[in-house]
Amino acid sequence: MQNIWFIALKDRITNVTLQLTPYTKLIRYSDRNIDQRRSNTIKTWGQFVCRFLNFVLIDNYSQFKIDDIKEVSLEIGNKFLEEYAKGNIGGEEKSIQAIKKEMHRLCKLYSYIKSIYKKDASKIYKLKWRYRDTQNRVHYNNHFSLNDNDNERLKFDIFRDMPSEIFEVFLRLSKIDYPELTFAIALQAYAGLRPGEICNVRQSIDPKNPGVTYQKIGSKINAFSINLTKKYQMRYDGTDVGGIKKRRIQKVYTPYLTKLQELYEEHLAILDNYEFDDGYYPMFINENGEAITVKSYREKIQRLANGHLKDFLAKSDNPYFRRYAQILTQKKLSPHFLRHYFTVLLVRDNLTPHEIATWRGDKNLDSSLIYCNNKEDLLRSIKELNGDIVEDILREVDNS
């Protein structure tokens, strides 16, 4: 018996289905007279459609002010692809191949929107979105601006590799500029939490559902876990701070528990300066003592990495640091570089794909298999990054 899929509106906090939506027709629509797609194919397509609907109608409603998907424009599609490529949608920056696949899906979706809503889809109706070749096969025209040259530009802009020496500087700078987020950075670097998950971490003092738990042998923490099994309302004003991609108990990678303990204790001292409303115990807060939103968190991490860190390294007497600062003038560290940093630690420790997926909190083995299958290329790229920096330094010495 084949599953029948619907697109429904859900409460992000309670996960309760509120109502079915009219957008189910976007996953039921087919180019063929008889829909012979498998259930899993329809499900995958539906997940993409929901990804786009959430981006346009919910997450960015204040920007686009669209109440119906038929009002969608090319500019919105371009923005979606840009955010998807950078990793702000779906998590982790995307390869050129992944961007092209998402672009193809978007062209197909725009074609469906035009076919379903016809002239009511006024901003895209006059564009030809599909055609048939001589063998009557359907193809889709791309009207979005992310062509091959733009993909290369995105690839150039996106940068994830941070040597351990630079990371230690980054961590120290956070204690100066954003001390309330230093422990958050550690949880990303040593437990692989995603930005949205960081914003959903609660304190251990929550009497009903402690957000973190740990075990000690003597005075030393030997196990530390973050409870991400349920999404709670984090702020009194009802603001949604971010999402949890996979609900789980996430452990901190064992080799880094000693470093984490020091940062955790320093963070608790910061939280002691704030009072929290009953029922609200956010681990990471903004200037007002409220749970920080994922948008604000990302902005601060980006500012710290691509601004403060770059400026600090550029003024350093260490030529290695100055060379990395030069790289940051040409490339921007992506929002997910800390999670990438964590994964590199796991790969270097020769963990299996299953172990990597567990430590990363992945839903499947896809990402861990990519890292493991490309382990040699990954480690070579890091080695080449360090090698390029050293060569530039030696070249400077020779020319001086």
Side-chain angles (χ1 to χ4, degrees):
M1 182 177 178
Q2 188 176 25
N3 292 323
I4 298 176
W5 300 101
F6 297 89
I7 293 182
L9 188 65
K10 281 190 171 184
D11 187 297
R12 277 182 168 170
I13 296 175
T14 63
N15 205 36
V16 172
T17 299
L18 303 177
Q19 65 181 54
L20 297 179
T21 77
Y23 298 122
T24 297
K25 55 191 170 188
L26 292 174
I27 60 174
R28 297 275 179 85
Y29 188 87
S30 175
D31 290 312
R32 300 178 180 180
N33 293 328
I34 299 177
D35 190 353
Q36 297 178 325
R37 293 175 296 173
R38 295 182 178 180
S39 178
N40 283 340
T41 302
I42 298 174
K43 178 183 177 182
T44 300
W45 171 248
Q47 289 171 336
F48 162 74
V49 172
C50 289
R51 186 157 65 238
F52 185 71
L53 291 174
N54 282 324
F55 176 79
V56 176
L57 301 177
I58 298 176
D59 297 335
N60 293 282
Y61 178 79
S62 61
Q63 178 182 355
F64 301 139
K65 293 182 171 53
I66 284 183
D67 296 306
D68 195 308
I69 204 62
K70 67 185 178 184
E71 302 169 31
V72 76
S73 65
L74 276 181
E75 290 74 20
I76 290 176
N78 286 331
K79 185 64 176 176
F80 171 80
L81 289 172
E82 180 183 343
E83 294 302 309
Y84 175 80
K86 291 179 179 179
N88 294 333
I89 298 173
E92 301 184 1
E93 59 276 7
K94 308 303 188 296
S95 66
I96 291 177
Q97 183 179 6
I99 297 170
K100 287 183 176 180
K101 286 183 178 179
E102 194 78 349
M103 185 184 298
H104 177 76
R105 296 187 192 104
L106 194 59
C107 292
K108 185 176 181 179
L109 177 59
Y110 270 54
S111 172
Y112 286 8
I113 292 173
K114 174 183 174 179
S115 297
I116 292 170
Y117 294 100
K118 303 190 184 307
K119 290 185 178 181
D120 285 340
S122 58
K123 296 178 182 177
I124 63 172
Y125 180 74
K126 292 183 179 181
L127 297 173
K128 184 177 181 179
W129 287 99
R130 64 179 175 178
Y131 65 92
R132 292 184 181 272
D133 61 19
T134 54
Q135 297 179 339
N136 205 35
R137 293 175 300 192
V138 174
H139 297 270
Y140 296 95
N141 290 315
N142 175 37
H143 295 285
F144 300 106
S145 62
L146 290 180
N147 53 36
D148 289 341
N149 291 331
D150 290 318
N151 283 331
E152 292 298 330
R153 175 185 58 77
L154 282 170
K155 185 179 180 183
F156 178 77
D157 286 343
I158 291 173
F159 184 56
R160 299 183 300 176
D161 295 322
M162 177 179 282
S164 296
E165 300 91 331
I166 305 293
F167 174 74
E168 293 300 326
V169 175
F170 178 73
L171 201 60
R172 290 199 301 271
L173 281 177
S174 72
K175 292 184 178 183
I176 299 172
D177 297 307
Y178 299 115
E180 74 280 6
L181 297 182
T182 301
F183 182 56
I185 292 170
L187 287 185
Q188 283 206 267
Y190 303 143
L193 267 63
R194 301 168 179 88
E197 294 169 348
I198 284 290
C199 301
N200 280 278
V201 177
R202 291 165 293 109
Q203 300 175 46
S204 63
I205 61 174
D206 188 329
K208 295 183 179 179
N209 300 286
V212 300
T213 56
Y214 55 87
Q215 298 174 352
K216 280 187 173 182
I217 297 180
S219 60
K220 299 294 184 182
I221 290 179
N222 71 325
F224 194 102
S225 300
I226 302 102
N227 186 350
L228 296 172
T229 56
K230 184 178 179 181
K231 183 172 169 59
Y232 295 87
Q233 184 168 314
M234 299 295 292
R235 288 172 50 157
Y236 180 77
D237 60 9
T239 298
D240 183 22
V241 298
I244 300 174
K245 187 169 184 179
K246 179 186 177 184
R247 303 192 180 195
R248 65 197 186 280
I249 298 291
Q250 183 62 52
K251 295 182 178 180
V252 172
Y253 189 42
T254 309
Y256 294 92
L257 284 171
T258 300
K259 289 186 176 182
L260 187 95
Q261 179 173 352
E262 178 184 347
L263 298 175
Y264 179 55
E265 291 170 353
E266 291 175 356
H267 187 71
L268 291 181
I270 293 174
L271 293 178
D272 283 342
N273 297 316
Y274 294 86
E275 293 184 1
F276 299 96
D277 295 323
D278 289 341
Y280 300 94
Y281 305 98
M283 181 69 77
F284 302 110
I285 56 178
N286 60 18
E287 295 79 4
N288 300 320
E290 303 167 321
I292 192 170
T293 64
V294 66
K295 182 177 184 294
S296 179
Y297 177 72
R298 279 179 176 145
E299 287 174 351
K300 289 183 176 181
I301 295 300
Q302 290 280 282
R303 195 178 303 129
L304 182 63
N306 297 305
H308 299 181
L309 176 65
K310 181 183 67 176
D311 294 342
F312 178 86
L313 296 177
K315 298 174 183 177
S316 173
D317 293 332
N318 187 327
Y320 182 89
F321 288 178
R322 292 201 304 272
R323 178 62 185 112
Y324 192 83
Q326 290 177 5
I327 293 174
L328 290 183
T329 63
Q330 302 170 337
K331 303 181 179 183
K332 289 185 177 181
L333 281 163
S334 78
H336 294 270
F337 77 91
L338 290 168
R339 186 165 160 79
H340 174 73
Y341 176 86
F342 173 67
T343 310
V344 171
L345 295 178
L346 303 180
V347 172
R348 281 179 162 175
D349 285 352
N350 294 314
L351 270 62
T352 66
H354 285 277
E355 291 171 326
I356 291 174
T358 298
W359 284 113
R360 279 171 48 91
D362 289 332
K363 291 182 178 180
N364 51 52
L365 296 179
D366 292 352
S367 294
S368 60
L369 285 171
I370 291 173
Y371 273 100
C372 288
N373 291 338
N374 295 284
K375 177 180 178 180
E376 292 184 4
D377 291 337
L378 173 67
L379 298 180
R380 187 185 304 114
S381 68
I382 296 172
K383 185 176 180 180
E384 288 174 352
L385 171 64
N386 288 316
D388 288 344
I389 294 175
V390 172
E391 285 181 9
D392 285 345
I393 293 170
L394 293 176
R395 194 176 299 114
E396 287 181 14
V397 172
D398 290 339
N399 293 334
S400 62

